[in-house]
Amino acid sequence: VPKKLFEEWKKKDPLERFENLLTDKGILSSQKKDSVISQIQQEIDLAMKSALERPYPKPEESTEGVYAK
């Protein structure tokens, strides 16, 4: 992607724009943002740990629930 085009679309990023809106309205402080990010990271870490501790499925079970019937 050309850098100029990337920079143009980066300005339109809905997540960044929403974050800026919440910050501008005083709804989201940097402390609250850091807290939310920390909570999300903890959830991700817990999910990863749980997934890595589970055994691999049997080969014959690996496609169950993947395809619509």
Side-chain angles (χ1 to χ4, degrees):
V1 177
K3 185 174 180 152
K4 183 178 178 182
L5 182 60
F6 180 82
E7 292 301 324
E8 252 181 70
W9 280 100
K10 186 177 178 184
K11 293 175 190 171
K12 299 175 184 181
D13 179 0
L15 296 177
E16 190 173 322
R17 291 176 64 207
F18 188 58
E19 179 184 333
N20 291 337
L21 175 72
L22 293 175
T23 302
D24 292 346
K25 291 189 174 270
I27 298 170
L28 181 66
S29 66
S30 61
Q31 294 87 0
K32 181 64 176 173
K33 177 184 168 188
D34 291 344
S35 173
V36 169
I37 290 172
S38 176
Q39 289 173 350
I40 291 169
Q41 189 60 55
Q42 287 175 4
E43 288 183 34
I44 291 169
D45 292 344
L46 184 62
M48 287 284 296
K49 183 177 184 281
S50 174
L52 292 171
E53 289 175 349
R54 293 174 187 241
Y56 282 100
K58 296 176 186 170
E60 60 272 11
E61 296 173 349
S62 64
T63 59
E64 288 181 13
V66 176
Y67 300 101
K69 293 183 181 183

